[in-house]
């Protein structure tokens, strides 16, 4: 939707057409921003690399693990008590 809006096209219409194309089984359908229509992304040469998607998932998992580790370290640190 954002890509269509930034391209100056009617995003609601394009997203509706794209969803209809995907429901018809056209899994490679996407937004053709050159002429504001739905097109076959394989024909236009626009593909998303599988490695990029995998690396995104790995990075997200590593970030979540680091957050959990920091949280555990913070909760395990004993409080400093002053001498009375």
């Amino acid at each position: 939707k954002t890509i269509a809006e930034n391209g100056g096209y009617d995003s609601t219409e394009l997203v509706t057409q794209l969803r209809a194309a995907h429901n018809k089984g056209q899994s490679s359908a996407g937004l053709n921003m050159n002429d504001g229509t739905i097109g076959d992304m394989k024909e236009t040469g626009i593909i998303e690399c599988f490695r990029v998607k995998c690396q995104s998932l790995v990075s997200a998992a590593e970030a979540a693990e680091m957050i959990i580790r920091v949280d555990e370290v913070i909760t395990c640190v004993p409080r400093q008590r002053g001498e009375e």
Side-chain angles (χ1 to χ4, degrees):
K1 182 176 178 180
T2 303
I3 294 172
E5 287 175 355
N6 289 343
Y9 297 111
D10 182 11
S11 62
T12 305
E13 180 66 27
L14 284 176
V15 170
T16 302
Q17 291 175 6
L18 182 59
R19 287 185 179 160
H22 285 172
N23 287 334
K24 291 179 184 175
Q26 299 172 356
S27 61
S28 63
L31 299 177
N32 184 341
M33 297 310 295
N34 290 328
D35 55 2
T37 60
I38 303 302
D40 187 358
M41 295 296 103
K42 287 182 181 178
E43 289 178 6
T44 58
I46 300 173
I47 55 173
E48 192 170 353
C49 182
F50 181 70
R51 288 185 179 181
V52 173
K53 288 183 180 183
C54 285
Q55 186 58 46
S56 297
L57 291 173
V58 168
S59 296
E62 289 174 353
E65 182 181 355
M66 292 302 294
I67 291 170
I68 291 171
R69 284 185 182 177
V70 169
D71 188 46
E72 288 177 3
V73 169
I74 291 172
T75 57
C76 293
V77 174
R79 294 177 65 188
Q80 296 290 333
R81 298 181 186 208
E83 294 182 30
E84 294 181 20

